[in-house]
Amino acid sequence: MCDDDHGNGVPRRALFVTGAAAALTLGSVTFASGADAAGGPGTPASGTETRTVRGTLPTGSPDFVYLPVEVPRGVREIKVAYTYEKPSVPAGTAGNALDIGIFDERGTDLGGRGFRGWSGGARSEFFLRGDDATPGYLPGPVRPGTWHIALGPYTVAPQGLTYEVTVTLTYGEQAVTPKPVYPPARARGRGRAWYRGDCHLHSWYSDGRRTPAEIAALARAAGLDFINSSDHNTHSSHPHWADQAGDDLLILREEITTRNGHVLALGTDPGTFVDWRYRARDNRFGKFARRVREAGGLVVPAHPHATCIGCGWKFGFGEADAVEVWNGPYTPDDEIALADWDNMLVAAVRSGGHGERGWLPAMGNSDAHRDPDQVGTPQTVVLADDLTREAVQAGLRAGRSYVAESQLVSLAFTASGARGEHAGIGERLKVAPDTPVTVRVEAAGAPRCTVRLVTDEGLLFTSDPLPVSGAGTVEWRTTAAYAAYVRAELRHEAAAGPLPGALAAFTNPIFLGDAR
């Protein structure tokens, strides 16, 4: 049970359970009617009213606790500020962390019809009104009814999480809500070509510290052709990217952040909301994965082996269109993700499931939030028919892509048969099991890196280091009977010990032989 003490004369109320198993609702915060606040019926409301709520959430609190706010007529703006105690805890014990957002009078049901914004733990206050809102929140009319402040106790210290929420209503005439303008779904491309992108970027519309303009400038400097804005659990940034797109930069969008992992909703229609208020045990992810696809997006689990709380992926990969194997500067988490992905490739070919949607392509992104995070480190390089949303997504879905640590690194990776058969990344070389196959890697921008070729049988070839110029060509011969697929890696020199050096690049596989 939570203590729930409403200041300013609002009575203390007990906590009660809503229909959602992982959510609780507190007693309501009430205000005088807009007419009463203004001096009587028929009188235009003006001025402000404030209420403060204090309480303590115990360990084991549900993921979401809703604080109802009864909003009267005549309100122009809602402002919410909150604080919470952060007591000392023993080493290895989670301290307090409390997220926040808001839903309007349309309610808190899954699907988000009433969603009006979310800032997680990135902000201590926010406002919204007809013509403006804090980044992370949606401007729009403040209609009368029961609104809900959503509190998300991410972690709770053994002492409990003591919080204070202050709600201020400003009365007055509603401001006009501007019609959103979104980035176009195409840029001026080069026809069928290799395009570079970073599909995991955070702005100040969630927990990032960069504006869309700053991110767009860094993307262009990193040699990117497309980016995916991935602010956590809010689509509020979508209209603010419109003036950053251009003939040279395609801008896509979104990320969903649950308590059991993060997933890119890559390239959804602008203005799309996809709910995140569920865990793997709730068996709801399939519904919202379908929502992503209905809105034109790809489902891409992000950093599946990240160690931060709530970051590891727990929903499985049955609904995924691709997986983010490399996230930011290369770390042991990425090495584990790469090995896990390779195991999935092996399972796919062993089960005969490497045809249409039978294997899961990999990609890499920076997950940049703030300085000194580098946009475009790494970046996914995709073969697409043009620089449009649909063409880029088609290339990613088909696995016609590789991941490079920067714009300086490039490679070409092909397999050819004895009779002129030819296949590239993400494709199949249809040859008989005993037909000789030549695998060729042409690398540039990778000084002293080694080329490694990995198959369903494991690592089968490692080259000598490339020259200091960073350019070189490597060939290896095999057969489809010996290797069901082959993929390439460029590795930096190892610092010490038996572990391989960090990646400079890696490819999606080329499959060998007739599909089984």
Side-chain angles (χ1 to χ4, degrees):
M1 188 69 89
C2 303
D3 291 330
D4 179 21
D5 180 10
H6 292 198
N8 295 331
V10 180
R12 186 180 203 155
R13 303 290 292 276
L15 189 69
F16 60 90
V17 182
T18 67
L24 293 172
T25 301
L26 302 168
S28 296
V29 179
T30 60
F31 291 81
S33 71
D36 290 343
T43 304
S46 61
T48 64
E49 282 190 282
T50 297
R51 297 286 186 271
T52 298
V53 178
R54 302 176 185 88
T56 300
L57 301 174
T59 56
S61 290
D63 289 340
F64 301 100
V65 175
Y66 294 105
L67 175 62
V69 178
E70 301 299 334
V71 176
R73 297 184 183 280
V75 174
R76 181 177 190 272
E77 177 182 292
I78 296 179
K79 180 179 179 180
V80 177
Y82 82 120
T83 61
Y84 59 93
E85 294 182 3
K86 299 179 181 179
S88 299
V89 296
T93 301
N96 283 334
L98 184 63
D99 294 343
I100 197 166
I102 195 167
F103 290 76
D104 66 20
E105 83 291 346
R106 292 171 292 180
T108 63
D109 289 347
L110 280 178
R113 187 164 173 263
F115 177 78
R116 290 296 294 272
W118 181 258
S119 49
R123 301 181 186 280
S124 60
E125 62 181 48
F126 63 86
F127 78 90
L128 52 87
R129 61 174 185 260
D131 62 341
D132 199 6
T134 299
Y137 294 80
L138 304 176
V142 180
R143 294 178 288 262
T146 303
W147 290 51
H148 290 83
I149 296 170
L151 301 176
Y154 203 68
T155 54
V156 179
Q159 301 94 318
L161 194 160
T162 297
Y163 64 87
E164 179 178 289
V165 179
T166 298
V167 183
T168 300
L169 304 184
T170 299
Y171 293 93
E173 186 177 347
Q174 293 277 352
V176 176
T177 303
K179 183 178 180 179
V181 177
Y182 298 116
R186 66 167 52 244
R188 186 175 60 200
R190 305 181 297 276
R192 187 173 175 85
W194 292 94
Y195 296 99
R196 292 177 177 261
D198 186 346
C199 294
H200 197 162
L201 295 162
H202 295 274
S203 78
W204 69 353
Y205 286 87
S206 62
D207 63 342
R209 292 293 178 268
R210 291 166 172 155
T211 66
E214 290 169 333
I215 294 171
L218 291 169
R220 289 180 166 98
L224 301 181
D225 301 294
F226 64 94
I227 60 174
N228 185 78
S229 162
S230 50
D231 287 313
H232 299 286
N233 297 340
T234 178
H235 54 289
S236 65
S237 73
H238 294 184
H240 301 278
W241 287 99
D243 56 357
Q244 303 307 319
D247 288 344
D248 62 334
L249 187 64
L250 176 69
I251 299 178
L252 309 175
R253 62 207 68 81
E254 212 51 58
E255 183 180 15
I256 306 160
T257 303
T258 78
R259 297 299 175 86
N260 282 164
H262 303 185
V263 58
L264 302 175
L266 199 161
T268 49
D269 294 334
T272 297
F273 173 83
V274 181
D275 219 315
W276 72 94
R277 294 171 293 160
Y278 44 85
R279 288 180 181 256
R281 64 188 178 217
D282 300 323
N283 294 318
R284 288 171 171 155
F285 179 68
K287 172 183 177 180
F288 293 104
R290 289 190 293 274
R291 171 71 179 124
V292 171
R293 293 195 187 92
E294 289 167 358
L298 301 183
V299 177
V300 184
H303 46 65
H305 291 277
T307 57
C308 49
I309 295 174
C311 297
W313 185 248
K314 305 296 185 185
F315 294 94
F317 297 94
E319 294 287 350
D321 295 300
V323 59
E324 184 187 75
V325 167
W326 184 353
N327 175 275
Y330 201 72
T331 65
D333 296 347
D334 301 306
E335 189 70 34
I336 294 170
L338 182 69
D340 191 38
W341 171 67
D342 192 69
N343 288 338
M344 287 192 282
L345 291 178
V346 172
V349 298
R350 293 289 184 267
S351 65
H354 50 289
E356 182 69 21
R357 287 193 55 79
W359 67 282
L360 193 62
M363 63 185 308
N365 305 295
S366 73
D367 200 1
H369 284 68
R370 60 187 68 83
D371 292 339
D373 298 351
Q374 292 186 321
V375 172
T377 301
Q379 51 193 251
T380 298
V381 190
V382 58
L383 180 61
D385 289 336
D386 206 347
L387 190 51
T388 68
R389 179 178 77 163
E390 292 79 7
V392 168
Q393 288 175 320
L396 294 173
R397 189 187 295 109
R400 297 193 304 265
S401 61
Y402 66 91
V403 181
E405 66 180 354
S406 75
Q407 63 182 316
L408 300 177
V409 179
S410 62
L411 59 81
F413 179 48
T414 59
S416 57
R419 297 182 179 179
E421 305 97 333
H422 182 275
I425 300 171
E427 297 176 341
R428 170 170 298 282
L429 183 68
K430 296 182 178 180
V431 293
D434 58 351
T435 297
V437 172
T438 300
V439 176
R440 180 181 177 90
V441 180
E442 300 176 51
R448 302 299 299 168
C449 287
T450 57
V451 177
R452 294 168 26 126
L453 297 176
V454 182
T455 78
D456 56 310
E457 298 293 341
L459 174 63
L460 294 185
F461 175 83
T462 302
S463 76
D464 292 330
L466 296 174
V468 292
S469 67
T473 300
V474 170
E475 288 190 350
W476 178 65
R477 287 172 177 80
T478 187
T479 65
Y482 189 49
Y485 70 81
V486 59
R487 61 179 184 83
E489 297 178 356
L490 296 180
R491 293 271 186 171
H492 290 286
E493 294 179 290
L499 296 178
L503 280 176
F506 77 94
T507 72
N508 276 299
I510 299 174
F511 295 98
L512 306 180
D514 291 330
R516 301 186 183 96

